[in-house]
Amino acid sequence: MKNSLLKGLMVFLTMLCTSLTYSQDVSGTVSDASGPLPGASVLVKGTTKGAQTDFDGKFTIKNVGSNAVLVFSYIGLKSQEVNVAGRSNIKVTLKEDSAELKEVVVIGYGSVKKKDATGAVDQLSSKSFDNVGAPSPADLLRGKVSGVQVTSQSGEPGAGSSIRIRGNSSIRSGNGPLIVVDGVPLDGGDVTAGGSDIGLGGSSARNPLNFINQNDIESMTILKDASSTAIYGSRGANGVVVITTKKSKSKEPQLTYSNSFTFSSLASNLKMMNSSEFVANGGANNGGSGYNWENAILRNAFSTNHDVAFTKSTENSSTRLSIGASNTEGVVKNTGLDKYTFSFNNSNDFFGGALKIDTKVNYSSLKDQSALISNSAGYIGNLIGSALYWNPTNKLYNTNGTYNVVSNTFINPVQLANAYTDYANTSKLLASVKSTLKINDNLNYQFLFGIETSTSTRKFQLDPTIDIQNVAQATPPGSSTPKFGQAGISGIEKFNKTFEHTLNYNKTFNDNFVFDALAGYSYYQYNANGNDVSAKGFDANQMNLIDNIEGGLQNEYRASSWKNQVELQSFFGRVNATLYKKLLVTATLRADGSTKLGKNNKYGSFPSVGLGYKVFEDKAGILNSLKVRTNYGVTGNQEFAVNSAVARASYGLNGSLNVDTNANADLKWETTTSSGVGVDFGLFNNRLTGTVDYFQRNTKDLIFPVPSAATQPGPPSPRFVNLPGNLINKGYEVSANYKIINSDKLTWDVSANASFLSNKMENFAGFIQAGALHGQGLSGAYAQVVTNNEPIYSYYMYEWRGYDANGASIYADASGADASLGLAAKKLVGKTGLPKMNLGFSTNVTYKNFDAAVSFYGAFGHYLYNNTANAYFFKGAFLGGRNVPASVATSAQAQGDPNSPSTKYLEKGDFLRMGNLTVGYTFSGTALEKLKIKSARFFVNGQNLLLFTNYSGFDPEVNTDKSLNGVPSAGIDYLSYPRSKAFALGLNVTF
């Protein structure tokens, strides 16, 4: 016994000495590409011993074996294992793990691993965004996701953008996707009031997504097919964009400051004749020289952007607070966008994690300043039109400093720019509280309450010092002398509420069966009201019309108001199951009831099913992973006018009662039946990953107003009905990402995507006019139609063949209804304003502390109608004293040749644009450590530096709102705000 105790003691002492000999304290620093990384995990492999890095990214672990392995990890970064090998100090730099960032994607009412998704889902993380702030999150999607086309109405800061996911699925209802921010579905309507028409055309409302600060966005997920969108039922027909804002990830307090300074100038030049060219080609010489339309109304713009964010987390809570301020000048004088944002994201766990409360607040204040650039100006033109047609031999100013006034139909552009004031102030709040109760390990209950509220006021005035024919003028009773000037104030207020209850059950029964079920109820209420006040005919000495609007003529004072409410109630459920680690099943059903619909069709059901099969997963060799997907489902579209199904009347002047619409008790949703197949693949050790998809969408029950009956008996006002017919969209999508180099010092990856789309109306008996045209001689003209066996927005016009010996336009032979009159006939010309192909390409390179990125995007196969040229660039305008391009002045066209809508002004819209080019450098070293700076990155960015196109207008990426009777248009360019190119310098610093 004594010998046994002695032997045991010797063994213990030997082990202790060995431990003291081979154990040591290990310290070091953990960094990422931006610098020291606080809150990173360091663990001794095979044990529970470890530490987290402090504020400076430093750590210390005591008594570490000399041959131990340390595991370094951080969310969103690649884990790294390091052998201690007797060292006492270790420095590690963790790299971004793009596969991990994309592995879990946010979907409706939850998230799913990308490899387990049965639907067509794409996600962009904040790492994919460009380094200069975008006025709207919509701009971040441009060229980045296959099947998604983003087109700005113009180059104006904050201009409206159209987002199309897999094409257009409606004629007259909304075609934009549902936007969901932190679980709250936005109502999708205009937030800022549109500009009033004072006789020179109306302007469009601003982009409703301008209120979100790009730097607050963590990710944007795009749901494209029925398997992923059917959970949103009657609102998912046009796809869904799910925006998730940032939250704190660091347990150490962290302060981040970002800024950028941007210099912008006109990107493309619409070449007009100078004074010498104008005279040389036969134009009237009025003695002036040196006029340039760009100098008259454009400028080199300067913009700034500043963002500050603070984050802090503990074991049971996380908080992120950010403030942003930006000032964006437009290249057109007196235009711009000021934007101030505030966001708050807080999460707290209670009762040991059994209850979690998430609170999110986003507030923004925007001020838009606009010039008189409208969508429907006539012969007199708007600011762009008057600047283009101004005779370059005319002086802008008289010798006494007053404006040179030619006539009230030939407007001095500088006078017009200075006489017009237009600005809109908008405040928006989006807030939500989400509580998650963990009932047991498998069952969770969640309640979400959200509000979306906004207030917007738009004010404008045209000074009484300018005389424009039939614009902003009125005659006092008993007088023949007109007074000038007009002012208007319009406002929109919205208050929307979201209530959602969901119950989620998730359990892994065994390796061969994983089950996830969701059931829920939601209630949405959308309230909106607005008002408008306007006055005309002011005293010539009155300058501030907006704040003294009662100074106009009493008989020209107008006021109006409106209010509406929409309620939507829904029941929904979804089941996700994984069988034998191979077969994936998603089944969804949603039932929606809406106050927008007829009383006989208040509810509709929207089912879908998605299947996936993992042929390969994590295999060695050339082909590493392969998954096939298929889906089928039905979604709806309720983005049509409020009160379309009910009889509606309103009181007009002097109490007259007007019937606006007749009731239709059978009005129901437009429904889209979608099906598709897809393949996800990984090759060459998953260095090459990508997807291929084919889809088909069939929309029926298209909502459209039947006009008032021409004869009685019949309805005296329009009535909304579901038209017979089908709108068919078909297409292919391809996307790929290739990691060309992925070493410690050098990385290089390339991403590309392409989509090919076609659409056609079938079983449709209608012939609907679209694409209104404006300008001299174009009253009542249109360029597009929606008709059977043709794509929507097909061009319908005269087919131009050149000029005859007398300079008269030659059109195609007569046919159809005009044949008996011997006249040329308008015809379908086999072209459409919708692109058939969209492309996107980007590449990123990092070398040590340097990084560079470039992105391109383009659209092909569509045609643009140059309404600007149709309205202003013809021989008669030049000989009448207006400026035109030299090619028009020297053309064979006769002075009296009518400028009829024709293929003469139809041009290919193909373009390829360099969207962004960024070069950055991340600083590191002891100097930053002494300043308590974790990271600092300086970058230079260029936007819209290159454009490849044959289009003769300002820019091929344009979509002027040329709606006709509520039917939208596509691909029409008319006096649009020109696009700019920009250079930016920026700095991102983390403390």
Side-chain angles (χ1 to χ4, degrees):
M1 182 69 178
K2 185 176 181 181
N3 289 336
S4 298
L5 290 174
L6 182 61
K7 289 179 181 178
L9 180 60
M10 293 299 294
V11 170
F12 173 75
L13 291 174
T14 301
M15 293 178 62
L16 179 60
C17 292
T18 303
S19 176
L20 292 173
T21 303
Y22 292 99
S23 296
Q24 59 189 2
D25 293 348
V26 177
S27 60
T29 304
V30 181
S31 305
D32 64 0
S34 301
L37 191 66
S41 174
V42 186
L43 185 68
V44 180
K45 189 174 182 178
T47 74
T48 58
K49 182 185 295 185
Q52 281 196 326
T53 56
D54 63 12
F55 182 81
D56 300 313
K58 296 179 180 180
F59 71 94
T60 297
I61 305 178
K62 295 182 179 296
N63 299 326
V64 179
S66 61
N67 293 323
V69 175
L70 299 184
V71 180
F72 298 85
S73 61
Y74 190 83
I75 296 174
L77 301 176
K78 288 182 179 179
S79 296
Q80 187 173 336
E81 296 186 0
V82 177
N83 195 323
V84 174
R87 290 176 295 173
S88 61
N89 189 273
I90 296 175
K91 292 185 178 181
V92 172
T93 300
L94 299 181
K95 293 185 176 181
E96 177 183 315
D97 188 353
S98 58
E100 183 176 342
L101 286 172
K102 295 180 180 179
E103 184 179 359
V104 177
V105 293
V106 178
I107 58 173
Y109 305 99
S111 60
V112 65
K113 291 182 179 180
K114 175 70 173 175
K115 64 181 182 179
D116 294 336
T118 62
V121 180
D122 282 294
Q123 181 167 292
L124 294 176
S125 73
S126 56
K127 298 286 186 181
S128 303
F129 301 158
D130 299 316
N131 288 291
V132 173
S136 168
D139 300 329
L140 303 174
L141 295 173
R142 190 176 280 114
K144 298 293 178 64
V145 180
S146 64
V148 178
Q149 182 192 7
V150 180
T151 306
S152 298
Q153 290 183 346
S154 70
E156 187 173 9
S161 294
S162 65
I163 305 175
R164 298 293 180 264
I165 298 177
R166 293 186 168 180
N168 293 49
S169 59
S170 179
I171 296 176
R172 198 177 190 273
S173 299
N175 278 292
L178 172 66
I179 308 294
V180 180
V181 180
D182 291 329
V184 180
L186 306 186
D187 75 340
D190 292 334
V191 176
T192 304
S196 300
D197 187 351
I198 62 174
L200 295 179
S203 58
S204 301
R206 300 297 188 171
N207 194 317
L209 287 179
N210 287 344
F211 76 97
I212 301 178
N213 185 346
Q214 168 193 336
N215 290 329
D216 290 332
I217 299 176
E218 176 66 27
S219 67
M220 299 177 69
T221 305
I222 298 86
L223 313 180
K224 297 188 285 188
D225 64 357
S227 178
S228 56
T229 64
I231 193 67
Y232 290 104
S234 64
R235 308 181 70 183
N238 302 314
V240 182
V241 176
V242 181
I243 298 175
T244 303
T245 58
K246 292 179 179 178
K247 61 182 181 181
S248 175
K249 295 181 180 179
S250 172
K251 291 189 176 180
E252 295 294 332
Q254 184 169 291
L255 182 67
T256 302
Y257 169 66
S258 304
N259 67 35
S260 64
F261 302 91
T262 306
F263 306 87
S264 305
S265 60
L266 181 67
S268 59
N269 181 25
L270 185 58
K271 183 65 176 176
M272 306 295 287
M273 290 186 291
N274 58 32
S275 56
S276 59
E277 291 172 326
F278 189 83
V279 173
N281 286 316
N285 188 352
N286 295 327
S289 63
Y291 173 80
N292 182 300
W293 76 268
E294 297 175 20
N295 296 336
I297 64 169
L298 303 185
R299 65 182 174 186
N300 292 324
F302 177 69
S303 304
T304 61
N305 186 75
H306 302 273
D307 286 285
V308 178
F310 173 80
T311 61
K312 176 68 170 69
S313 298
T314 67
E315 292 294 333
N316 300 314
S317 67
S318 68
T319 301
R320 182 180 187 274
L321 180 68
S322 74
I323 299 173
S326 65
N327 172 267
T328 305
E329 289 186 345
V331 293
V332 175
K333 295 175 182 177
N334 301 329
T335 65
L337 170 64
D338 291 344
K339 178 176 177 179
Y340 304 93
T341 62
F342 167 84
S343 74
F344 175 74
N345 191 329
N346 177 258
S347 177
N348 286 280
D349 291 340
F350 301 94
F351 311 115
L355 177 64
K356 183 178 181 180
I357 306 293
D358 293 297
T359 304
K360 298 185 179 182
V361 177
N362 281 278
Y363 174 80
S364 64
S365 175
L366 299 95
K367 181 175 181 179
D368 294 285
Q369 185 181 13
S370 304
L372 191 50
I373 300 176
S374 53
N375 302 325
S376 52
Y379 169 71
I380 296 174
N382 58 21
L383 180 61
I384 299 291
S386 63
L388 293 175
Y389 71 60
W390 183 259
N391 184 330
T393 68
N394 286 340
K395 296 179 180 180
L396 289 170
Y397 297 95
N398 298 315
T399 54
N400 61 0
T402 59
Y403 294 112
N404 178 21
V405 177
V406 177
S407 73
N408 64 359
T409 61
F410 195 101
I411 308 303
N412 185 319
V414 176
Q415 182 186 20
L416 182 59
N418 294 333
Y420 185 74
T421 302
D422 187 337
Y423 60 88
N425 292 321
T426 303
S427 298
K428 178 152 185 170
L429 173 67
L430 180 67
S432 65
V433 176
K434 180 175 67 175
S435 61
T436 304
L437 178 63
K438 184 178 180 180
I439 300 174
N440 57 43
D441 290 341
N442 305 113
L443 186 63
N444 291 329
Y445 164 74
Q446 191 174 96
F447 170 69
L448 172 71
F449 171 67
I451 61 169
E452 177 192 5
T453 179
S454 62
T455 301
S456 178
T457 302
R458 187 166 186 171
K459 302 180 180 181
F460 79 91
Q461 71 176 48
L462 184 66
D463 295 346
T465 55
I466 188 170
D467 177 7
I468 305 175
Q469 185 183 77
N470 300 324
V471 173
Q473 57 180 273
T475 303
S479 173
S480 60
T481 304
K483 283 190 170 186
F484 304 101
Q486 184 169 342
I489 303 173
S490 57
I492 295 179
E493 292 183 352
K494 292 190 173 185
F495 186 81
N496 307 322
K497 293 180 287 187
T498 297
F499 297 88
E500 288 187 337
H501 302 266
T502 57
L503 197 62
N504 182 253
Y505 180 79
N506 187 304
K507 186 172 182 178
T508 301
F509 289 92
N510 52 53
D511 289 344
N512 295 324
F513 184 37
V514 179
F515 183 77
D516 183 6
L518 172 78
Y521 167 80
S522 64
Y523 172 79
Y524 311 104
Q525 186 184 86
Y526 300 101
N527 301 275
N529 66 82
N531 55 76
D532 185 89
V533 176
S534 66
K536 289 194 295 185
F538 290 82
D539 188 277
N541 295 318
Q542 185 177 349
M543 290 292 99
N544 188 352
L545 314 186
I546 293 174
D547 297 326
N548 187 202
I549 200 168
E550 65 272 22
L553 293 175
Q554 182 177 356
N555 61 311
E556 293 292 343
Y557 186 86
R558 299 287 185 270
S560 62
S561 60
W562 56 271
K563 183 178 183 179
N564 61 55
Q565 182 183 91
V566 175
E567 293 177 291
L568 184 66
Q569 178 177 251
S570 308
F571 301 88
F572 54 89
R574 179 179 61 206
V575 172
N576 288 317
T578 302
L579 305 175
Y580 302 101
K581 300 182 181 180
K582 294 283 189 179
L583 181 62
L584 311 169
V585 180
T586 300
T588 305
L589 177 65
R590 180 160 180 147
D592 285 334
S594 174
T595 57
K596 279 190 175 183
L597 303 179
K599 63 181 182 180
N600 296 333
N601 285 303
K602 286 295 184 184
Y603 279 86
S605 297
F606 305 95
S608 79
V609 61
L611 299 175
Y613 186 76
K614 299 177 183 178
V615 183
F616 299 104
E617 186 176 22
D618 299 325
K619 296 291 186 181
I622 296 178
L623 182 58
N624 312 118
S625 61
L626 180 67
K627 183 179 71 176
V628 294
R629 297 175 279 104
T630 185
N631 70 88
Y632 174 87
V634 179
T635 50
N637 186 356
Q638 75 146 18
E639 296 305 316
F640 53 91
V642 179
N643 298 322
S644 295
V646 298
R648 184 166 56 91
S650 61
Y651 288 98
L653 290 174
N654 302 316
S656 59
L657 184 63
N658 305 311
V659 178
D660 299 319
T661 58
N662 285 291
N664 181 0
D666 297 319
L667 188 70
K668 56 186 175 181
W669 275 298
E670 295 181 354
T671 56
T672 298
T673 302
S674 303
S675 60
V677 294
V679 176
D680 302 334
F681 60 86
L683 300 170
F684 312 118
N685 295 321
N686 285 318
R687 291 175 65 183
L688 175 61
T689 57
T691 63
V692 179
D693 279 275
Y694 169 79
F695 64 89
Q696 178 171 320
R697 302 165 67 191
N698 179 356
T699 303
K700 64 178 183 178
D701 298 325
L702 299 164
I703 295 176
F704 203 80
V706 175
S708 307
T711 59
Q712 300 300 321
S717 59
R719 182 170 67 102
F720 284 86
V721 300
N722 297 105
L723 294 178
N726 304 82
L727 174 55
I728 309 296
N729 280 283
K730 299 178 181 180
Y732 297 88
E733 297 170 356
V734 181
S735 64
N737 181 80
Y738 185 52
K739 299 177 182 178
I740 301 174
I741 301 175
N742 190 26
S743 64
D744 290 339
K745 294 183 178 180
L746 177 64
T747 66
W748 180 19
D749 66 80
V750 175
S751 298
N753 67 81
S755 58
F756 308 86
L757 181 69
S758 65
N759 70 50
K760 185 170 65 172
M761 290 296 305
E762 295 182 357
N763 308 313
F764 184 64
F767 189 85
I768 300 173
Q769 299 174 2
L773 301 180
H774 293 87
Q776 184 175 10
L778 297 174
S779 298
Y782 60 96
Q784 297 172 337
V785 296
V786 178
T787 190
N788 195 43
N789 291 326
E790 296 290 337
I792 58 175
Y793 314 131
S794 291
Y795 287 108
Y796 180 79
M797 57 189 60
Y798 297 113
E799 188 173 359
W800 187 72
R801 296 291 181 84
Y803 301 109
D804 64 15
N806 297 317
S809 290
I810 303 172
Y811 300 104
D813 293 339
S815 62
D818 296 331
S820 61
L821 303 177
L823 301 174
K826 291 183 179 180
K827 58 189 294 187
L828 290 163
V829 296
K831 298 175 175 62
T832 179
L834 298 176
K836 296 179 180 178
M837 178 172 63
N838 291 280
L839 297 178
F841 170 84
S842 63
T843 183
N844 299 272
V845 178
T846 64
Y847 177 69
K848 295 184 177 179
N849 290 8
F850 289 94
D851 62 87
V854 63
S855 63
F856 288 83
Y857 64 92
F860 305 87
H862 63 300
Y863 283 77
L864 302 177
Y865 192 81
N866 195 336
N867 190 182
T868 303
N870 191 182
Y872 294 96
F873 301 159
F874 56 97
K875 197 66 167 283
F878 170 63
L879 296 178
R882 296 189 170 206
N883 199 8
V884 295
S887 59
V888 176
T890 57
S891 71
Q893 185 181 23
Q895 180 176 4
D897 182 47
N899 222 32
S900 303
S902 72
T903 56
K904 176 182 178 180
Y905 304 104
L906 201 57
E907 305 181 44
K908 282 189 174 182
D910 298 352
F911 75 89
L912 179 65
R913 184 192 304 279
M914 177 190 283
N916 275 273
L917 173 64
T918 303
V919 178
Y921 181 82
T922 300
F923 296 92
S924 61
T926 57
L928 292 182
E929 294 179 6
K930 291 180 181 179
L931 295 172
K932 298 297 182 180
I933 296 177
K934 294 187 179 69
S935 66
R937 179 176 178 272
F938 173 78
F939 66 88
V940 179
N941 174 272
Q943 302 174 54
N944 192 23
L945 301 182
L946 295 176
L947 175 64
F948 305 93
T949 185
N950 290 323
Y951 180 59
S952 65
F954 282 133
D955 196 283
E957 192 181 354
V958 66
N959 186 28
T960 308
D961 182 6
K962 305 296 288 182
S963 300
L964 182 61
N965 298 321
V967 180
S969 62
I972 298 181
D973 182 10
Y974 186 55
L975 299 177
S976 60
Y977 192 110
R979 197 174 296 271
S980 62
K981 59 182 176 182
F983 294 91
L985 304 175
L987 180 67
N988 302 328
V989 182
T990 300
F991 299 91

